[in-house]
Structure formats: structure tokens, C-alpha cells
Amino acid sequence: MSDKLEFTQEVQQIARISKALSHPVRVYILQKLSKMNSCCYSGDLVEEIPVGRSTLSQHLKELKYAGLIQGEINPPFIKYCINRKNWDEAKELFTTFLNDNNPEEISCDNAESMINKSTLSGTH
Amino acid sequence: MSDKLEFTQEVQQIARISKALSHPVRVYILQKLSKMNSCCYSGDLVEEIPVGRSTLSQHLKELKYAGLIQGEINPPFIKYCINRKNWDEAKELFTTFLNDNNPEEISCDNAESMINKSTLSGTH
DNA sequence: AAATCATTTCGTAATTTTGCGAAATATTAA
DNA sequence: TTAATATTTCGCAAAATTACGAAATGATTT
């Protein structure tokens, strides 16, 4: 009851992948690459994305680290592609996470003791 | 061709939601809340999650700001629930993003000029 | 060998995130 | 009114993220 828990692999993986998806540049790259069978030169990307070359390189590195993309070398160019296997795994992971709802079940302890509820506004 | 682009609403929204999902504590909370019709006291959560009360409060605030949860007041308790409407919107958004692949189509410019490709290892 | 080219790594700075304890807030109980 | 309770806000520190230009890397062309 009062034991702190270790997060499951699933929770940690979703957090890790979400972190990779937490920047517009990286979402854009993934959106583009996931739609193509082929790959993109970093040089092609830098022309359409409003960041410098070294910054783009960092974002690509992060996506590579997260396993979502992979590179292919053809010097002096480097092409990046979606890592289909991991992309499909991410797809599976998010689909489960987002759809595994049981809105009928009530599982929270003190759930029934709620009276006089008033909805909070969602301000910040 | 060389014009820098503004990111679409879709790309920005996915990045924003992903940021909210980019921490295990927040993923855990959402996983739990999305599975219940009811809500959770912050006090219930702090017993199972390995962070202090003020830190938990901050995570809840972020999820509230992202629109994924909402609070209900029953002083001195505050219950948090999933914001079903926005949760379903997020579901829709990610489903589209993750499944809108066209692995057959080749759309990258210099795509055909690749020879001698060798796969990069996914190290960091 | 020297120049060129695409990309990455390095060094650095600004900003954001994460975490905690102490203090503040707001309601209920004594 | 005072004490107790649950949660949030504040102040702060450590760490991570984001961004850029300059320098380094690695391969090709002259």
C-alpha cells in the first residue's frame, strides 16, 4: 500500500519514446521519414527545417539513440531512414497505452467518498 | 525548396503532448487514471510513486496544463481524473501520426543516388 | 598534396526541467 | 479560535535540453 513502486518497462519505454517525440523538429523528421520507404539526406532536411546544421545533427542523433531512425552512409552523404522495426514497436506500445481504458471500472480507494465536487478550471 | 517551414498544428500538438508524456511519473499517472472512470487523490498517488508531494504536485500541474487531466475539489482533498475529451483527441492524433505511413512511396529528392550503403550502428 | 564537401563533435550560453523542503492556502475538526 | 489535514506555491539547486558557430572528421576531386 505505502510501498513506492518501480515503473514498469512499458511505462519507462513510453516515457523514453515520448521524450524523443517532444520536439517539433523531431516530430517533423519522423513524420516525413515514416511516410517514405527511402531516406533523407541531412542536407535535404536542413533546407526545410528552421535550425542550423549542427542543431539538426543533434536532433538526428537523439532519434537514432531512441532507435527510431537509422543512418546509411554514402560518403560524403549520410541518409537517415525510419527504423521500421522499432517504429512498429512504438506504434504497438502507444496503441496499447492509449486504448487500454476501462472507463466503467472504479479502482481508486476513496473513490466513493466524493461529495460536493466542483470542476477545476484548466488554467495554468 | 530552400524555404524554412513553419511546423503544422499537428506536429506542434504531438510534440506538446509527447512532452507531457516524457516522464515516467506522468505516464504512470495517465495510465492509472485512463483505466478508471473515477479519480485519484493526490495523496493516494504519492504513496505509490517515488517522488515527494510537491514534486508530484508539479507533475499533476503539467498534465493539467497539457489538458490531459482535470481536478475535482472536495476539500481538503483534490481528486484528479482523465480529461476524456482531450485524451481521445490525443489518441486520435497519435494514431494518425503513427499509422500514416506510405512505405512504398519514395518522395525524397536524391533518393535514387544511393550506392554502397552500409548500415550505421545505433550507438550513442 | 591541397581544396572541397557533408556531416558531426566540441565548447559554450541560455533556458527548461526536475526535485526537494519550507512556507502558504484553504477547509474541517476539536 | 486553534489545531490538524491535504495540497499547492515558493525558493532554490542540480541536471538536462536546445541552440549556435567553430573546429574536426572522413571521403572525394583537383
Side-chain angles (χ1 to χ4, degrees), chain A residues 41-43 53-54 57-58 60-61 64 76-78 80:
Chain A
Y41 291 118
S42 167
R53 281 166 199 283
S54 59
S57 193
Q58 255 179 267
L60 289 167
K61 186 174 160 187
K64 203 164 60 181
F77 301 96
I78 295 190
Y80 284 102

Short mmCIF file of all heavy atoms in Angstrom, two decimals, chain A residues 41-43 53-54 57-58 60-61 64 76-78 80, chain C residues 4-13 17-19 28:
data_model
loop_
_atom_site.label_atom_id
_atom_site.label_comp_id
_atom_site.label_asym_id
_atom_site.label_seq_id
_atom_site.Cartn_x
_atom_site.Cartn_y
_atom_site.Cartn_z
N TYR A 41 18.65 12.86 -46.88
CA TYR A 41 19.92 13.44 -46.50
C TYR A 41 19.69 14.49 -45.44
O TYR A 41 18.71 15.22 -45.48
CB TYR A 41 20.59 14.09 -47.71
CG TYR A 41 21.06 13.10 -48.72
CD1 TYR A 41 20.55 13.10 -50.02
CD2 TYR A 41 22.03 12.16 -48.38
CE1 TYR A 41 20.98 12.17 -50.95
CE2 TYR A 41 22.46 11.22 -49.31
CZ TYR A 41 21.93 11.23 -50.59
OH TYR A 41 22.36 10.31 -51.51
N SER A 42 20.61 14.52 -44.52
CA SER A 42 20.57 15.59 -43.53
C SER A 42 20.57 16.94 -44.23
O SER A 42 19.92 17.88 -43.78
CB SER A 42 21.77 15.45 -42.60
OG SER A 42 21.94 16.60 -41.82
N GLY A 43 21.25 17.02 -45.35
CA GLY A 43 21.31 18.27 -46.11
C GLY A 43 19.97 18.65 -46.70
O GLY A 43 19.63 19.84 -46.79
N ARG A 53 22.70 23.49 -38.99
CA ARG A 53 23.12 22.13 -39.30
C ARG A 53 23.52 21.35 -38.05
O ARG A 53 23.15 20.18 -37.89
CB ARG A 53 24.33 22.16 -40.25
CG ARG A 53 23.97 22.40 -41.67
CD ARG A 53 25.17 22.77 -42.54
NE ARG A 53 24.72 23.41 -43.77
CZ ARG A 53 24.19 22.74 -44.81
NH1 ARG A 53 24.07 21.44 -44.76
NH2 ARG A 53 23.78 23.38 -45.89
N SER A 54 24.26 21.97 -37.18
CA SER A 54 24.72 21.23 -36.00
C SER A 54 23.56 20.89 -35.07
O SER A 54 23.54 19.83 -34.45
CB SER A 54 25.77 22.04 -35.25
OG SER A 54 25.26 23.27 -34.85
N SER A 57 21.74 18.01 -36.54
CA SER A 57 22.53 16.81 -36.31
C SER A 57 22.28 16.25 -34.91
O SER A 57 22.21 15.03 -34.71
CB SER A 57 24.01 17.14 -36.48
OG SER A 57 24.78 15.97 -36.57
N GLN A 58 22.14 17.15 -33.96
CA GLN A 58 21.85 16.72 -32.58
C GLN A 58 20.49 16.03 -32.49
O GLN A 58 20.36 15.01 -31.81
CB GLN A 58 21.84 17.94 -31.66
CG GLN A 58 23.07 18.06 -30.79
CD GLN A 58 23.00 19.30 -29.93
OE1 GLN A 58 23.50 20.36 -30.31
NE2 GLN A 58 22.37 19.20 -28.77
N LEU A 60 18.91 14.51 -34.88
CA LEU A 60 19.02 13.22 -35.55
C LEU A 60 19.70 12.20 -34.65
O LEU A 60 19.30 11.03 -34.58
CB LEU A 60 19.80 13.37 -36.86
CG LEU A 60 19.07 14.12 -37.98
CD1 LEU A 60 20.02 14.49 -39.11
CD2 LEU A 60 17.91 13.29 -38.52
N LYS A 61 20.70 12.67 -33.94
CA LYS A 61 21.42 11.79 -33.02
C LYS A 61 20.49 11.26 -31.93
O LYS A 61 20.54 10.08 -31.56
CB LYS A 61 22.57 12.58 -32.39
CG LYS A 61 23.50 11.78 -31.52
CD LYS A 61 24.65 12.69 -31.11
CE LYS A 61 25.38 12.18 -29.88
NZ LYS A 61 26.39 13.17 -29.41
N LYS A 64 18.22 8.71 -33.33
CA LYS A 64 18.99 7.48 -33.56
C LYS A 64 19.18 6.76 -32.23
O LYS A 64 19.02 5.54 -32.14
CB LYS A 64 20.34 7.84 -34.18
CG LYS A 64 20.98 6.73 -34.95
CD LYS A 64 22.10 7.25 -35.86
CE LYS A 64 23.21 7.94 -35.10
NZ LYS A 64 24.27 8.47 -35.98
N PRO A 76 30.13 11.57 -49.42
CA PRO A 76 30.12 12.29 -48.14
C PRO A 76 28.72 12.53 -47.60
O PRO A 76 28.53 13.43 -46.80
CB PRO A 76 30.79 13.61 -48.51
CG PRO A 76 30.35 13.85 -49.91
CD PRO A 76 30.16 12.51 -50.54
N PHE A 77 27.74 11.76 -48.05
CA PHE A 77 26.38 11.95 -47.57
C PHE A 77 26.01 10.90 -46.52
O PHE A 77 26.56 9.81 -46.52
CB PHE A 77 25.38 11.84 -48.73
CG PHE A 77 25.63 12.84 -49.82
CD1 PHE A 77 26.36 12.49 -50.94
CD2 PHE A 77 25.15 14.13 -49.73
CE1 PHE A 77 26.61 13.41 -51.95
CE2 PHE A 77 25.39 15.05 -50.73
CZ PHE A 77 26.12 14.70 -51.84
N ILE A 78 25.08 11.25 -45.68
CA ILE A 78 24.50 10.28 -44.77
C ILE A 78 22.99 10.38 -44.86
O ILE A 78 22.43 11.45 -44.65
CB ILE A 78 24.97 10.50 -43.31
CG1 ILE A 78 26.48 10.27 -43.21
CG2 ILE A 78 24.23 9.55 -42.38
CD1 ILE A 78 26.98 10.23 -41.80
N TYR A 80 19.21 9.21 -43.65
CA TYR A 80 18.50 8.68 -42.49
C TYR A 80 17.18 8.07 -42.90
O TYR A 80 16.47 8.62 -43.74
CB TYR A 80 18.28 9.80 -41.47
CG TYR A 80 19.52 10.14 -40.70
CD1 TYR A 80 20.27 11.26 -41.01
CD2 TYR A 80 19.96 9.31 -39.68
CE1 TYR A 80 21.43 11.57 -40.30
CE2 TYR A 80 21.11 9.61 -38.97
CZ TYR A 80 21.84 10.74 -39.29
OH TYR A 80 22.97 11.02 -38.59
P DT C 4 38.75 25.40 -52.26
OP1 DT C 4 38.28 26.33 -53.32
OP2 DT C 4 38.99 25.87 -50.88
"O5'" DT C 4 37.75 24.17 -52.21
"C5'" DT C 4 37.62 23.29 -53.35
"C4'" DT C 4 36.58 22.23 -53.05
"O4'" DT C 4 37.17 21.17 -52.23
"C3'" DT C 4 35.35 22.74 -52.28
"O3'" DT C 4 34.19 22.30 -52.96
"C2'" DT C 4 35.49 22.08 -50.91
"C1'" DT C 4 36.23 20.79 -51.25
N1 DT C 4 37.00 20.16 -50.15
C2 DT C 4 36.92 18.79 -50.00
O2 DT C 4 36.25 18.08 -50.72
N3 DT C 4 37.67 18.29 -48.95
C4 DT C 4 38.46 19.00 -48.08
O4 DT C 4 39.08 18.43 -47.18
C5 DT C 4 38.49 20.43 -48.29
C7 DT C 4 39.32 21.29 -47.39
C6 DT C 4 37.76 20.93 -49.31
P DC C 5 32.78 22.97 -52.66
OP1 DC C 5 32.17 23.30 -53.95
OP2 DC C 5 32.98 24.02 -51.63
"O5'" DC C 5 31.95 21.79 -52.00
"C5'" DC C 5 31.98 20.47 -52.56
"C4'" DC C 5 31.50 19.48 -51.51
"O4'" DC C 5 32.62 19.12 -50.67
"C3'" DC C 5 30.44 20.08 -50.58
"O3'" DC C 5 29.20 19.41 -50.79
"C2'" DC C 5 30.97 19.83 -49.17
"C1'" DC C 5 32.12 18.86 -49.37
N1 DC C 5 33.25 19.06 -48.43
C2 DC C 5 33.82 17.94 -47.81
O2 DC C 5 33.37 16.82 -48.08
N3 DC C 5 34.84 18.12 -46.94
C4 DC C 5 35.29 19.35 -46.68
N4 DC C 5 36.29 19.47 -45.82
C5 DC C 5 34.73 20.50 -47.30
C6 DC C 5 33.71 20.32 -48.16
P DA C 6 27.91 19.84 -49.93
OP1 DA C 6 26.73 19.68 -50.80
OP2 DA C 6 28.17 21.12 -49.24
"O5'" DA C 6 27.87 18.69 -48.83
"C5'" DA C 6 27.71 17.34 -49.23
"C4'" DA C 6 27.55 16.47 -48.00
"O4'" DA C 6 28.79 16.51 -47.25
"C3'" DA C 6 26.45 16.93 -47.05
"O3'" DA C 6 25.74 15.80 -46.58
"C2'" DA C 6 27.20 17.66 -45.94
"C1'" DA C 6 28.55 16.95 -45.92
N9 DA C 6 29.67 17.82 -45.55
C8 DA C 6 29.86 19.13 -45.90
N7 DA C 6 30.96 19.65 -45.41
C5 DA C 6 31.55 18.60 -44.70
C6 DA C 6 32.74 18.50 -43.96
N6 DA C 6 33.59 19.52 -43.79
N1 DA C 6 33.02 17.32 -43.39
C2 DA C 6 32.16 16.30 -43.55
N3 DA C 6 31.01 16.27 -44.23
C4 DA C 6 30.76 17.47 -44.79
P DT C 7 24.55 15.96 -45.59
OP1 DT C 7 23.64 14.83 -45.81
OP2 DT C 7 24.03 17.35 -45.65
"O5'" DT C 7 25.25 15.77 -44.18
"C5'" DT C 7 25.93 14.54 -43.93
"C4'" DT C 7 26.77 14.65 -42.69
"O4'" DT C 7 27.75 15.70 -42.84
"C3'" DT C 7 26.04 15.01 -41.40
"O3'" DT C 7 25.86 13.81 -40.66
"C2'" DT C 7 26.95 16.00 -40.69
"C1'" DT C 7 28.20 16.00 -41.54
N1 DT C 7 28.94 17.28 -41.58
C2 DT C 7 30.15 17.36 -40.94
O2 DT C 7 30.64 16.42 -40.35
N3 DT C 7 30.76 18.59 -41.03
C4 DT C 7 30.29 19.72 -41.67
O4 DT C 7 30.93 20.76 -41.68
C5 DT C 7 29.00 19.57 -42.32
C7 DT C 7 28.41 20.73 -43.04
C6 DT C 7 28.40 18.37 -42.25
P DT C 8 25.20 13.81 -39.21
OP1 DT C 8 24.62 12.47 -38.99
OP2 DT C 8 24.38 15.02 -39.07
"O5'" DT C 8 26.48 13.96 -38.25
"C5'" DT C 8 27.56 13.05 -38.40
"C4'" DT C 8 28.69 13.46 -37.47
"O4'" DT C 8 29.21 14.75 -37.85
"C3'" DT C 8 28.29 13.57 -36.00
"O3'" DT C 8 29.19 12.79 -35.25
"C2'" DT C 8 28.41 15.07 -35.69
"C1'" DT C 8 29.43 15.53 -36.70
N1 DT C 8 29.32 16.95 -37.15
C2 DT C 8 30.39 17.80 -36.96
O2 DT C 8 31.42 17.45 -36.41
N3 DT C 8 30.21 19.08 -37.44
C4 DT C 8 29.08 19.58 -38.08
O4 DT C 8 29.04 20.74 -38.47
C5 DT C 8 28.00 18.64 -38.24
C7 DT C 8 26.74 19.08 -38.92
C6 DT C 8 28.16 17.39 -37.77
P DT C 9 28.99 12.58 -33.67
OP1 DT C 9 29.45 11.21 -33.34
OP2 DT C 9 27.65 13.04 -33.31
"O5'" DT C 9 30.04 13.61 -33.04
"C5'" DT C 9 31.43 13.48 -33.34
"C4'" DT C 9 32.19 14.64 -32.73
"O4'" DT C 9 31.83 15.87 -33.40
"C3'" DT C 9 31.94 14.88 -31.23
"O3'" DT C 9 33.21 15.01 -30.60
"C2'" DT C 9 31.12 16.17 -31.20
"C1'" DT C 9 31.63 16.88 -32.44
N1 DT C 9 30.73 17.87 -33.06
C2 DT C 9 31.22 19.14 -33.34
O2 DT C 9 32.35 19.49 -33.07
N3 DT C 9 30.31 19.98 -33.94
C4 DT C 9 29.01 19.70 -34.29
O4 DT C 9 28.31 20.55 -34.82
C5 DT C 9 28.56 18.37 -33.98
C7 DT C 9 27.16 17.97 -34.32
C6 DT C 9 29.43 17.53 -33.39
P DC C 10 33.33 15.19 -29.01
OP1 DC C 10 34.52 14.44 -28.57
OP2 DC C 10 32.00 14.91 -28.42
"O5'" DC C 10 33.64 16.74 -28.88
"C5'" DC C 10 34.66 17.31 -29.70
"C4'" DC C 10 34.80 18.80 -29.40
"O4'" DC C 10 33.82 19.55 -30.15
"C3'" DC C 10 34.61 19.17 -27.93
"O3'" DC C 10 35.64 20.05 -27.53
"C2'" DC C 10 33.24 19.85 -27.90
"C1'" DC C 10 33.15 20.45 -29.30
N1 DC C 10 31.76 20.59 -29.84
C2 DC C 10 31.38 21.79 -30.45
O2 DC C 10 32.18 22.72 -30.52
N3 DC C 10 30.13 21.90 -30.96
C4 DC C 10 29.28 20.87 -30.88
N4 DC C 10 28.07 21.01 -31.40
C5 DC C 10 29.66 19.64 -30.25
C6 DC C 10 30.89 19.54 -29.76
P DG C 11 35.88 20.34 -25.97
OP1 DG C 11 37.35 20.31 -25.73
OP2 DG C 11 34.98 19.49 -25.17
"O5'" DG C 11 35.40 21.85 -25.84
"C5'" DG C 11 35.77 22.80 -26.84
"C4'" DG C 11 35.00 24.09 -26.63
"O4'" DG C 11 33.73 24.01 -27.33
"C3'" DG C 11 34.66 24.41 -25.17
"O3'" DG C 11 34.97 25.76 -24.93
"C2'" DG C 11 33.17 24.11 -25.06
"C1'" DG C 11 32.68 24.41 -26.47
N9 DG C 11 31.48 23.68 -26.88
C8 DG C 11 31.16 22.37 -26.59
N7 DG C 11 30.02 21.99 -27.10
C5 DG C 11 29.55 23.12 -27.75
C6 DG C 11 28.36 23.32 -28.49
O6 DG C 11 27.45 22.51 -28.72
N1 DG C 11 28.27 24.62 -28.99
C2 DG C 11 29.21 25.59 -28.81
N2 DG C 11 28.96 26.78 -29.37
N3 DG C 11 30.34 25.42 -28.12
C4 DG C 11 30.43 24.17 -27.63
P DT C 12 34.79 26.41 -23.45
OP1 DT C 12 35.85 27.41 -23.29
OP2 DT C 12 34.63 25.31 -22.48
"O5'" DT C 12 33.40 27.16 -23.60
"C5'" DT C 12 33.16 27.97 -24.75
"C4'" DT C 12 31.72 28.42 -24.79
"O4'" DT C 12 30.89 27.34 -25.29
"C3'" DT C 12 31.14 28.80 -23.43
"O3'" DT C 12 30.80 30.17 -23.46
"C2'" DT C 12 29.90 27.90 -23.28
"C1'" DT C 12 29.61 27.49 -24.72
N1 DT C 12 28.89 26.21 -24.88
C2 DT C 12 27.75 26.19 -25.66
O2 DT C 12 27.31 27.18 -26.21
N3 DT C 12 27.14 24.97 -25.77
C4 DT C 12 27.55 23.79 -25.18
O4 DT C 12 26.91 22.76 -25.34
C5 DT C 12 28.74 23.87 -24.38
C7 DT C 12 29.27 22.65 -23.69
C6 DT C 12 29.35 25.07 -24.27
P DA C 13 30.32 30.93 -22.12
OP1 DA C 13 31.03 32.23 -22.10
OP2 DA C 13 30.41 30.00 -20.98
"O5'" DA C 13 28.79 31.22 -22.42
"C5'" DA C 13 28.42 31.80 -23.67
"C4'" DA C 13 26.91 31.74 -23.82
"O4'" DA C 13 26.51 30.39 -24.12
"C3'" DA C 13 26.16 32.14 -22.56
"O3'" DA C 13 25.14 33.07 -22.91
"C2'" DA C 13 25.58 30.84 -22.02
"C1'" DA C 13 25.43 30.02 -23.30
N9 DA C 13 25.51 28.57 -23.10
C8 DA C 13 26.42 27.86 -22.37
N7 DA C 13 26.23 26.56 -22.38
C5 DA C 13 25.12 26.40 -23.19
C6 DA C 13 24.40 25.26 -23.61
N6 DA C 13 24.72 24.02 -23.26
N1 DA C 13 23.34 25.46 -24.41
C2 DA C 13 23.01 26.71 -24.77
N3 DA C 13 23.60 27.85 -24.44
C4 DA C 13 24.66 27.62 -23.64
P DT C 17 9.97 22.98 -19.78
OP1 DT C 17 9.17 22.26 -20.78
OP2 DT C 17 9.33 23.99 -18.90
"O5'" DT C 17 10.71 21.91 -18.87
"C5'" DT C 17 11.72 21.11 -19.46
"C4'" DT C 17 12.32 20.16 -18.45
"O4'" DT C 17 13.31 20.83 -17.64
"C3'" DT C 17 11.33 19.52 -17.47
"O3'" DT C 17 11.60 18.13 -17.46
"C2'" DT C 17 11.63 20.22 -16.16
"C1'" DT C 17 13.11 20.52 -16.28
N1 DT C 17 13.64 21.68 -15.52
C2 DT C 17 14.77 21.50 -14.74
O2 DT C 17 15.33 20.43 -14.63
N3 DT C 17 15.22 22.64 -14.11
C4 DT C 17 14.67 23.90 -14.17
O4 DT C 17 15.17 24.84 -13.56
C5 DT C 17 13.50 24.01 -15.00
C7 DT C 17 12.84 25.35 -15.13
C6 DT C 17 13.04 22.91 -15.63
P DT C 18 10.60 17.08 -16.76
OP1 DT C 18 10.72 15.81 -17.49
OP2 DT C 18 9.28 17.73 -16.59
"O5'" DT C 18 11.24 16.88 -15.32
"C5'" DT C 18 12.56 16.35 -15.22
"C4'" DT C 18 13.07 16.46 -13.81
"O4'" DT C 18 13.37 17.84 -13.52
"C3'" DT C 18 12.06 16.01 -12.73
"O3'" DT C 18 12.57 14.83 -12.13
"C2'" DT C 18 11.99 17.21 -11.78
"C1'" DT C 18 13.21 18.03 -12.14
N1 DT C 18 13.12 19.50 -11.93
C2 DT C 18 14.12 20.15 -11.21
O2 DT C 18 15.06 19.57 -10.74
N3 DT C 18 13.94 21.51 -11.09
C4 DT C 18 12.88 22.28 -11.60
O4 DT C 18 12.84 23.48 -11.42
C5 DT C 18 11.89 21.53 -12.33
C7 DT C 18 10.71 22.25 -12.91
C6 DT C 18 12.05 20.19 -12.45
P DG C 19 11.73 14.08 -10.98
OP1 DG C 19 12.19 12.68 -10.91
OP2 DG C 19 10.30 14.39 -11.18
"O5'" DG C 19 12.22 14.81 -9.66
"C5'" DG C 19 13.59 14.68 -9.27
"C4'" DG C 19 13.83 15.52 -8.04
"O4'" DG C 19 13.80 16.90 -8.43
"C3'" DG C 19 12.74 15.36 -6.99
"O3'" DG C 19 13.20 14.51 -5.95
"C2'" DG C 19 12.48 16.78 -6.48
"C1'" DG C 19 13.40 17.65 -7.31
N9 DG C 19 12.74 18.86 -7.81
C8 DG C 19 11.64 18.93 -8.64
N7 DG C 19 11.29 20.16 -8.91
C5 DG C 19 12.21 20.94 -8.21
C6 DG C 19 12.33 22.34 -8.11
O6 DG C 19 11.62 23.21 -8.64
N1 DG C 19 13.40 22.71 -7.30
C2 DG C 19 14.24 21.83 -6.67
N2 DG C 19 15.20 22.36 -5.93
N3 DG C 19 14.14 20.52 -6.75
C4 DG C 19 13.11 20.15 -7.54
P DT C 28 -15.21 22.20 4.51
OP1 DT C 28 -16.14 21.31 3.78
OP2 DT C 28 -15.67 23.48 5.08
"O5'" DT C 28 -14.54 21.36 5.69
"C5'" DT C 28 -13.89 20.13 5.40
"C4'" DT C 28 -13.32 19.54 6.67
"O4'" DT C 28 -12.31 20.42 7.21
"C3'" DT C 28 -14.33 19.29 7.79
"O3'" DT C 28 -14.12 17.99 8.31
"C2'" DT C 28 -14.01 20.39 8.80
"C1'" DT C 28 -12.51 20.59 8.59
N1 DT C 28 -11.98 21.93 8.94
C2 DT C 28 -10.89 22.01 9.79
O2 DT C 28 -10.34 21.04 10.27
N3 DT C 28 -10.45 23.30 10.04
C4 DT C 28 -10.98 24.48 9.54
O4 DT C 28 -10.50 25.56 9.85
C5 DT C 28 -12.12 24.32 8.67
C7 DT C 28 -12.77 25.53 8.09
C6 DT C 28 -12.56 23.06 8.41
#
